[in-house]
Amino acid sequence: MRQTMPTGDENARALELAQQIAALLDRLDAVQPGSVQAGPGRISGPGLEIRRGSDGRWTARTAR
């Protein structure tokens, strides 16, 4: 599949989504300050984990 350069509209939408995610991570971190950690393919917070699966989709679950 050939990738194309994103348009200005696509870049603006991606930035909007990233800002929404950042705001949600701030809210999550407020539950237990300093608890949100992000790494390759993984975000963890107080009692939870968000991971990228082998199919490329993101899923959330309680932490082990």
Side-chain angles (χ1 to χ4, degrees):
M1 178 179 203
R2 183 174 173 228
Q3 291 194 336
T4 59
M5 295 294 293
T7 66
D9 287 343
E10 290 169 332
N11 284 340
R13 179 66 180 139
L15 177 58
E16 180 183 325
L17 289 170
Q19 290 169 332
Q20 291 174 16
I21 292 167
L24 289 171
L25 290 173
D26 280 341
R27 289 177 59 192
L28 183 59
D29 195 54
V31 172
Q32 188 176 346
S35 65
V36 175
Q37 302 290 320
R42 181 177 175 270
I43 301 169
S44 63
L48 64 93
E49 182 175 80
I50 301 167
R51 282 191 172 262
R52 179 170 236 157
S54 58
D55 61 358
R57 297 181 61 106
W58 290 92
T59 59
R61 64 182 184 196
T62 57
R64 294 180 188 182

